[in-house]
Structure formats: C-alpha cells, structure tokens
Amino acid sequence: MIRFDCHVHVYEEVSATRGARYVPAGPAPLGHWQAGLARHGLAGGVIVQVSFLGVDNSQLLGALSQLDPQRFAGVAVVPEEIDAAGLDALVAGGIRGIRWNLVRGAPLPDLESPAVAGLLQRLCERGLHLEIQLEGPRLAALVSPLLSRGVTVVVDHFGLPEAADPAREPWLASLSRGVDLSRLFVKFSAPYRAPVDVAPHARALLDLLPPGHVVWGSDWPHTQHEAITDYDRAASARETFGIGDDTAAVQALYGLSPA
C-alpha cells in the first residue's frame, strides 16, 4: 500500500529566477496539497524544489517548517560549490536530498571536476541522495558512474523513457551489466511527461531493482500539464504500476514513517 506522495512542488509565491524555462500562472499552496493528502488517506510526502525558483530554497524550507518532520521531507536544488555548512543547514531544515534537473539539453555535470566531486562526497558523508530528472537516452552517462562513486541516486519520472521498448533504453541496459543497484531508487511519477507508454518501463524497473526501491509521486501541481490531470486523478491511480508497500523505500530515502 502506498502511503506517501514523494514528488510535489509547493510554492506560495511565483517569482521566477532569471532564465526559467517555465513559470506557472499561480501558486501551489501547501494547504491545497495537505487537503489532497487527507482526501486520499496519505500519511505524508516529499516536497521537491521547483525549477523556476532555482537555488532559492526559502519557500521549500518555509513549507517544511510547518510540517511534521517524521512524515514530511524535502529535496533541494543547490549550487555545485555549496559548502558543508550550507548542506548542514538544509539537512537541519528537513532536506534529505538534492536534485539535478537536466532535461531539455542542459549540460551534464562533469563528475571529475573538483566542484562536483566535492559535492558528491559531501552528499555521501551526510547520507543525502541525488535526485536526477533527465531523459532516458542520456541517463546512462550518469547513473552507473554515480553509483560506482557510492552516491545514492533517485531517478525521476520512470527515467523519462523515449523508447517504447524498455530493452532499447540505454540506461536500463547499462544497469543490467553487473551494476550494484542497492543505492538506486526510481520515482514512479508524472507518466504524462514521457512521450511513450511507461507501463512496460514500470514492469522492467520492478523486475530489475531490489524490492523496496520505488516510490510514488503525484507530481502536483503538474506544471505544464495542468489541463490533463489533477491531484485526485493522480492519487487515485497510484496503485496502477504495482509498487506495493512503499514503507521501506520512504524510510531509506527520507527517514519518514506513516505512524
């Protein structure tokens, strides 16, 4: 049984950072999400920093400060050069991971650069995970190398597959060649963001990953796709892909408990 919504964006004000690819028409208030959780009997969830706010995590931290830290956590966006004190402050505010949003041709981070290597080391030292939004064809260049460095990786949105057949997704093929998958997790969220039916990919991932390595997310408020779905439809369909009990994955990634 799925008890947590592990991918939402909450913002009370819309104030986009320079160069934002998309700016929504209005806010996504915390109270609206909480009402959705209550309607569907969900215990808690994870707020992910929305892309148009860049590395200003103040609204995210403000929302977390109003919530029970046993049932709610956050994922921040940070500059590569963030220092140990900066990360520690985020952890104290309820952050349990950071996110790289690399879609639409954004350059991939150089894992060998001192800034990125230092960031990855600091994440590992604090038990923080790295969440990645990236199209499936480009994921292979990052996921296995990150896992080999000891980083816990969370892949967004089924891996945003572009091939109808999971066997033709390079990142899935790369994971089938003796890679240690004990630190890899996938979010089953936002199926509408992929150009293909994600159901075959969901089955392939459940077969490939260790048990308890998948979480569900509503992707509320469904930015850029508000016209085709809403919270109630997303939450009502959360059992569709066969995740089962999400307790172990939510505990491992975010330290949350439904009780």
Side-chain angles (χ1 to χ4, degrees):
M1 180 180 182
I2 296 171
R3 298 297 307 279
F4 288 87
D5 182 353
C6 291
H7 194 99
V8 303
H9 306 293
V10 167
Y11 41 94
E12 306 292 337
E13 299 178 8
V14 177
S15 55
T17 188
R18 183 176 181 180
R21 294 188 298 258
Y22 171 78
V23 181
L30 175 60
H32 290 194
W33 178 46
Q34 290 177 293
L37 293 174
R39 285 196 306 274
H40 294 276
L42 291 159
V46 179
I47 304 173
V48 178
Q49 171 74 342
V50 70
S51 62
F52 68 82
L53 291 177
V55 298
D56 178 1
N57 297 286
S58 58
Q59 293 198 57
L60 167 58
L61 293 170
L64 291 176
S65 72
Q66 303 175 57
L67 298 168
D68 180 356
Q70 300 302 313
R71 297 186 296 115
F72 294 91
V75 174
V77 174
V78 302
E80 291 179 355
E81 62 273 14
I82 188 170
D83 60 14
L87 280 178
D88 289 340
L90 291 173
V91 171
I95 298 301
R96 299 295 174 259
I98 71 162
R99 190 189 199 207
W100 284 350
N101 186 347
L102 304 171
V103 294
R104 302 181 187 176
L108 301 186
D110 178 2
L111 303 186
E112 304 299 331
S113 73
V116 174
L119 173 61
L120 297 178
Q121 181 63 34
R122 289 189 287 277
L123 294 181
C124 292
E125 290 169 352
R126 287 158 181 77
L128 298 173
H129 63 265
L130 176 60
E131 180 175 326
I132 303 174
Q133 180 177 214
L134 180 61
E135 297 89 355
R138 296 204 293 155
L139 269 173
L142 281 183
V143 174
S144 294
L146 285 166
L147 293 174
S148 71
R149 287 165 168 78
V151 179
T152 296
V153 177
V154 179
V155 173
D156 274 348
H157 307 331
F158 302 89
L160 292 176
E162 295 189 357
D165 181 358
R168 298 180 65 85
E169 284 289 338
W171 84 280
L172 291 180
S174 73
L175 298 178
S176 302
R177 295 193 287 268
V179 178
D180 179 3
L181 304 180
S182 62
R183 291 184 305 278
L184 176 63
F185 295 78
V186 177
K187 286 188 177 183
F188 282 15
S189 53
Y192 41 79
R193 295 191 186 277
V196 298
D197 179 10
V198 299
H201 297 268
R203 291 192 294 270
L205 285 163
L206 288 171
D207 288 342
L208 179 65
L209 293 170
H213 278 241
V214 174
V215 296
W216 170 79
S218 67
D219 193 41
W220 183 81
H222 325 288
T223 54
Q224 302 182 69
H225 298 272
E226 300 93 338
I228 64 171
T229 192
D230 57 30
Y231 195 86
D232 290 332
R233 278 182 277 186
S236 295
R238 66 185 184 273
E239 306 290 349
T240 301
F241 297 105
I243 294 173
D245 188 348
D246 64 346
T247 303
V250 170
Q251 176 65 38
L253 287 174
Y254 311 108
L256 304 180
S257 170

